[in-house]
Amino acid sequence: MTVEEKLQRFMNTCMEDARTRSSRMLDEYMEALENSFKEHQEEAERRADMQLKQETEKLEREINKKLAIEQIGIKRELGQKQEELKDKLFVELADMLEQFLETPEYQKLLEKQIAAAVEFAGEDPVTIYLDPADQDKRQRLALHHGTATVLISEYSFGGGCRAVIPSRHILIDNSFQTKLEEAKERFHFDTALAKGGNTHG
């Protein structure tokens, strides 16, 4: 083998070795780049997921806050509307009671209230107070219930009567004013039924 042939063979061997090492180095470099890219991609996705979660939670908090404020406003508005309807209802009820005062049934009611008070008092003296508007009924009621003292109150209480048993320090208040106030105090809207279009007290 000539020197030139040996040199050519050596060069071929060197070139092959260089190509093999270069190819291996390039593969390793490409693998490192791919791994780095993958890690970078995973980190970017993780950050994006975290940011999305934070933004979602922030948005949810803002929505919940707005909903809470709106709910408070709706409850306040509903409460005001209920009070308006309640006032209107009791104005109408008071008007109906005024009309009732002109009926024979009202006279019967007064007699019944006085009879119940006299029965409750037993042997004890009882004083019955009528509303000033019922002045015209006083004499007849006094005649029917001779054991009771029937007087006209200095103050109007919308009808009905009040009975006082001094010996027992008892007041029996059957005045329409008190009955209305008690009814208004106890009255409430049942929101569960209100959804179906009904209310009750």
Side-chain angles (χ1 to χ4, degrees), residues 58-201:
K58 182 181 176 183
L59 189 60
E60 285 176 352
R61 283 195 300 271
E62 288 176 359
I63 290 171
N64 289 336
K65 185 178 177 182
K66 286 180 181 178
L67 285 174
I69 292 170
E70 286 180 12
Q71 193 173 30
I72 290 169
I74 289 169
K75 283 183 179 178
R76 187 182 297 117
E77 190 176 335
L78 179 62
Q80 290 172 350
K81 180 56 71 175
Q82 286 179 342
E83 282 302 311
E84 288 174 14
L85 290 173
K86 182 177 175 179
D87 290 341
K88 185 179 178 183
L89 177 67
F90 277 88
V91 166
E92 290 177 3
L93 185 57
D95 289 342
M96 290 172 68
L97 282 174
E98 280 188 24
Q99 293 174 24
F100 176 69
L101 297 178
E102 306 301 321
T103 66
E105 284 74 21
Y106 175 57
Q107 177 80 28
K108 292 176 184 176
L109 175 68
L110 287 176
E111 290 176 359
K112 185 178 177 182
Q113 287 180 348
I114 294 170
V118 169
E119 184 181 351
F120 181 80
E123 298 297 320
D124 295 318
V126 57
T127 303
I128 306 296
Y129 290 94
L130 298 177
D131 189 90
D134 293 326
Q135 172 74 47
D136 60 326
K137 302 176 181 65
R138 177 183 172 276
Q139 189 173 356
R140 181 179 174 182
L141 291 168
L143 286 172
H144 282 200
H145 304 282
T147 59
T149 302
V150 181
L151 302 175
I152 299 298
S153 171
E154 293 180 22
Y155 309 100
S156 175
F157 44 74
C161 69
R162 288 174 172 157
V164 177
I165 306 172
S167 59
R168 290 194 246 166
H169 305 288
I170 290 175
L171 167 66
I172 302 171
D173 191 350
N174 284 317
S175 67
F176 286 1
Q177 180 182 7
T178 300
K179 297 293 183 187
L180 273 173
E181 287 171 358
E182 289 174 352
K184 194 170 184 179
E185 186 68 29
R186 291 194 306 268
F187 183 88
H188 70 279
F189 286 92
D190 190 326
T191 51
L193 290 178
K195 290 173 183 176
N198 298 314
T199 59
H200 79 278

